[in-house]
Amino acid sequence: MSEADDRIVQEFLHESREHLDQLDRDLVTLESEPGSSATLARAFRALHTLKGTCGFLGFTRLGAIGHTGEGLLARLRDGDVTFSLDVASALLTLVDRVRRLLDEIERTGGEGTGDDSVLLSALQRLQGAPATGSAPALHAVEPDAEPVDEPSGSAPGEARIKVDVQRLDRLMDLVGELVLARNQLVTRAGSTDPRVVHEATQRVSALTSQLQSEVMETRLQPIATAWDRLPRLVRDTAVACGKEVRLELEGGETEIDRSVLDAIRDPLVHLVRNAIDHGIESPTVREACGKPRAGVLRLSASHAGGRVRLEVSDDGAGIPVDRVRARALERGLVADVRAQHMSDREWLDLVFRPGFTTTDKVTSVSGRGVGLDVVREHLAAIGGSVEVRTQPLAGTTFELRLPLTLAIVPALVVACGDERYALPQSAVLEVVRTGPGRNGAEIATVAGGRVLRLRDALIPLVSLREQFEVPGDAPEHGFAVVLQSGASCFALQVDETGETQEVVVRPIGAAHRGLAVFAGVTLLGDGRVALILDPAGTARRAGLGLDAPVAAPVPPARRVAAEHEWLVCELREGWFGALPLGEVLRIEEFGRNQIERLGGQLVARWRGRMLPLVELAGAIDPDRATSRLSRRRLTAVVHESAGVPVGWLVDQVLDAVVTTEVPPPVVPRKGVRGTAELVGHPVDLLDPSALLAPGGSCERLARREAA
Amino acid sequence: MSERRRFATLRVEGTLYGIEAEHVQEVMGPAPLTRLPLAAPAVAGLMNLRGRIVTVLELRRCLGLPPRAADARVVNVVLRAADNPMGLLADEIGEVLEVDASAWAPRPETAHGPGAGLVSGVYRLESELLCVLDPEAVRARAAA
């Protein structure tokens, strides 16, 4: 085939697949609304175009199928035949067959040999059937052996994306500006005035970041692309399970990186099947419960806090927590000691354990050994998460949280000897200090293996130094990073931990791909190459995860009443205050150059969003406000106040303490709940949420950024 | 008139090696390397070459020679490749030699050392021998 011919065929394949996707959706719509003439007309046009191109390219098999299908659609359009389940099945089989032929053409260049006579005669028979007459048997048409209901991430047609022309123009403009800035830099490079060079460098740097974000945006696709084929999947699954299901899709325009889209296709298919097979009850049961016969399966997507939230919910029977509990205890998944303290939510979370199921029934649709554990693992692999909520008789909701992109991820940089490694922040559960002293977590040895004693949990400890044969000896004081890996967790022992930064993930060279412990490579700010660790691969290499999974340690906030654990800070010279530790997200140091003013509000870039910064002393007592902007570095306690993160500026952080009671305040003021004698000083026990003026600029900004 | 070929030359432990000049992208001094744990023994690490991440091999390890003294000189010869350039660490870089194709001899049958597979043949120069390195064979050591 010549290059030009090849291009025409490629174009044909791409277009035809789009027509088929459209046809798929239209046919499913027609099943519920048989009278929609607009939908019928669109379906007819799609098949007509397909048939026309086939004839032009000499694909006779496709042409014949298209022609007969078109005939049936024409009769439907003219009202000679009514749209029945059999008609739908036959036409959907046609779509599947055409898809297979297209795949064949892509592979071999030809349509291959095969017999379409059963399909063709069924399509003809349906055309001849009188409008009210008896339709042929339900399964008059054998469905194709391999129904195309398992969209795979690497479907051939998806290797290209559509980019808005305006966006392309903007990119071109930016590149033009960048070239200009580079030329300026080149001509000024020899200048003796450092300001001139600095200015030009700044410009290049600003343009580069802008270009990066624009390019990232071209990779964004509406999330609807991932659920394009769901109407068909839902229809087929519902028919197979004998259920009636109405699919509702919401927020399909929410944009997300296409690498993430590819990664969620399979988990989504699994969740949808699961909901129909196990969630939604059969029509008779539903009627008995006083629900409508048809169950509702809802997918809704939205942006939330720099991530995409995707919910898959059904209005079915819900997951019986009692059964989960009984099954878990019966199978010894949970130790008795722990079982007494587990909340319903924690019990429910067990459905994500490998091999866990509450039904003994294996159907053709689900229960084929692919469980929710795989869904969670898939999502964890891309830095996402999945949680489940359920209400008896009212339904179940799976909430997926997805990163916007995989190309740039927040990472925690750790050091061991002279070497630095990046850990995906999404896998980091907690960082603790190790070594002697009252602040250090204890490392114990059990039968030659080391474990970290963290609160009540024993977590297997892996030494990065030993795993990677890093030269040198471990220092006395080090750190352990508790990492989530699939359903389990482990601790990684390192010398130092640095800051969290956004890193651009590059693939590791082909030669080293076999090293499953690395997820990729990145360049750090100083230009050095750093390896990005794959937590799951590292755990496997260290021989972990072969036995029972280790549950993540219970966060301290849940163990002790959060309001009695305090982080004591010096608000300004001689004035001490304490914030509830349970809601402290992080203590950050910001350089003055990282802080900006946004409409009178101080902000800093934090985890990919704008974090409002508020002077804590000034918020309590405006008379005692102090300006810190002359300082080189500012300390902020990032606290979840009234549900949104706010950076409270303080002089310094002193200690974390526990109080058994909250004594009344010495000087009653807004936001001060009490005063206690701690760390040798009177300390005001604060309620930062009360300090946040509702509707104030800070509160508004925080909400907008968190949304 | 016989065919002439151009070689970039480099020395490792006194021996003269040559790589066909068209395969060499550039020669540079030592750059900071990031060790790649668990990789093949020949891999010295990864470096940042103007924003590209390039694997660097230590020729001494490819050739089964003792490690270089800590303070010894080192050069990095970057092999050209559209998708995946690769650096080679050698003791020193020589000049580009133009040799007569008729001076070529296949690898001697007595060559069985660890580096034998990397040498495709030998050119007889006036004063010494020039061992020709096969870029593809060298590259393969990154994975072995």
Side-chain angles (χ1 to χ4, degrees), chain A residues 419 421 467-470 506 512 515 517-518 521 523 527-529 531 541, chain B residues 32-39 43 46-48 51-53 55 142-143:
Chain A
E419 303 183 354
Y421 295 88
Q467 283 298 316
F468 295 164
E469 295 158 1
V470 179
R506 313 272 193 91
H512 317 301
L515 308 176
V517 292
F518 300 116
V521 196
L523 294 176
R528 289 279 289 265
V529 179
L531 296 155
R541 183 172 165 83
Chain B
L33 285 181
T34 297
R35 196 176 65 93
L36 183 60
L38 317 175
V43 176
L46 303 172
M47 73 162 177
N48 171 9
R52 288 185 89 168
I53 294 165
T55 306

Side-chain angles (χ1 to χ4, degrees), chain A residues 452-493:
Chain A
L452 181 74
R453 280 190 68 172
L454 184 57
R455 299 186 291 276
D456 291 343
L458 287 183
I459 302 167
L461 184 73
V462 175
S463 158
L464 190 144
R465 184 178 295 276
E466 284 167 19
Q467 283 298 316
F468 295 164
E469 295 158 1
V470 179
D473 291 317
E476 195 184 17
H477 288 277
F479 289 89
V481 183
V482 184
L483 291 168
Q484 178 88 45
S485 147
S488 190
C489 80
F490 70 100
L492 191 69
Q493 191 180 15

Side-chain angles (χ1 to χ4, degrees), chain A residues 200-474:
Chain A
T201 322
Q202 283 275 303
R203 200 162 158 64
V204 171
S205 145
L207 281 167
T208 318
S209 331
Q210 218 179 329
L211 195 60
Q212 183 182 27
S213 70
E214 283 280 346
V215 171
M216 292 311 302
E217 278 181 31
T218 60
R219 294 175 54 94
L220 294 183
Q221 298 266 288
I223 203 163
T225 350
W227 64 40
D228 261 358
R229 299 222 182 137
L230 287 187
R232 173 74 194 274
L233 173 74
V234 168
R235 182 246 178 221
D236 287 354
T237 314
V239 169
C241 299
K243 311 263 171 93
E244 287 178 27
V245 181
R246 197 170 82 238
L247 178 65
E248 289 181 1
L249 301 170
E250 194 177 90
E253 70 287 348
T254 311
E255 288 192 317
I256 194 166
D257 194 282
R258 56 174 300 264
S259 49
V260 182
L261 273 185
D262 288 344
I264 61 166
R265 277 199 172 87
D266 290 345
L268 213 50
V269 166
H270 184 85
L271 289 176
V272 163
R273 283 192 167 146
N274 202 57
I276 298 173
D277 195 22
H278 300 311
I280 293 172
E281 315 90 326
S282 65
T284 42
V285 173
R286 288 182 65 91
E287 273 185 334
C289 299
K291 295 188 192 181
R293 281 176 65 84
V296 175
L297 179 64
R298 238 171 83 89
L299 270 77
S300 70
S302 59
H303 283 285
R307 292 168 84 78
V308 169
R309 180 172 58 207
L310 177 58
E311 289 193 341
V312 179
S313 44
D314 64 64
D315 65 346
I319 303 175
V321 178
D322 298 348
R323 266 223 326 264
V324 172
R325 189 178 293 138
R327 179 57 68 100
L329 290 174
E330 173 193 318
R331 302 192 48 178
L333 289 176
V334 178
D336 290 343
V337 202
R338 220 174 111 65
Q340 295 163 14
H341 301 289
M342 275 169 68
S343 65
D344 274 6
R345 211 186 138 132
E346 286 170 291
W347 282 110
L348 202 55
D349 206 59
L350 291 174
V351 300
F352 294 108
R353 283 285 184 84
F356 190 90
T357 175
T358 52
T359 59
D360 298 312
K361 178 179 65 172
V362 173
T363 69
S364 66
V365 174
S366 48
R368 286 185 293 197
V370 200
L372 290 168
D373 59 314
V374 179
V375 171
R376 178 168 271 184
E377 204 174 291
H378 267 66
L379 289 168
I382 58 164
S385 63
V386 56
E387 305 282 326
V388 60
R389 315 188 282 272
T390 189
Q391 245 186 324
L393 299 176
T396 307
T397 298
F398 286 90
E399 182 180 320
L400 283 65
R401 287 188 170 260
L402 309 166
L404 275 177
T405 176
L406 302 185
I408 298 182
V409 298
L412 176 71
V413 178
V414 299
C416 216
D418 294 334
E419 303 183 354
R420 279 176 299 169
Y421 295 88
L423 307 175
Q425 181 72 42
S426 58
V428 175
L429 294 175
E430 131 171 55
V431 179
V432 292
R433 200 179 263 283
T434 59
R438 80 184 184 90
N439 284 331
E442 194 190 328
I443 294 176
T445 308
V446 179
R450 274 174 307 163
V451 289
L452 181 74
R453 280 190 68 172
L454 184 57
R455 299 186 291 276
D456 291 343
L458 287 183
I459 302 167
L461 184 73
V462 175
S463 158
L464 190 144
R465 184 178 295 276
E466 284 167 19
Q467 283 298 316
F468 295 164
E469 295 158 1
V470 179
D473 291 317

Side-chain angles (χ1 to χ4, degrees), chain B residues 34-85:
Chain B
T34 297
R35 196 176 65 93
L36 183 60
L38 317 175
V43 176
L46 303 172
M47 73 162 177
N48 171 9
L49 178 66
R50 298 184 295 274
R52 288 185 89 168
I53 294 165
V54 171
T55 306
V56 180
L57 301 185
E58 169 57 86
L59 266 183
R60 283 178 163 266
R61 272 184 245 157
C62 295
L63 298 166
L65 296 170
R68 185 177 293 111
D71 55 349
R73 278 179 45 184
V74 58
V75 292
N76 189 351
V77 181
V78 182
L79 296 185
R80 189 189 303 277
D83 52 340
N84 188 17

Side-chain angles (χ1 to χ4, degrees), chain A residues 122-145:
Chain A
L123 289 169
Q124 271 154 358
R125 199 165 51 241
L126 288 163
Q127 282 182 54
T132 52
S134 61
L138 184 68
H139 291 293
V141 187
E142 277 286 301
D144 276 15

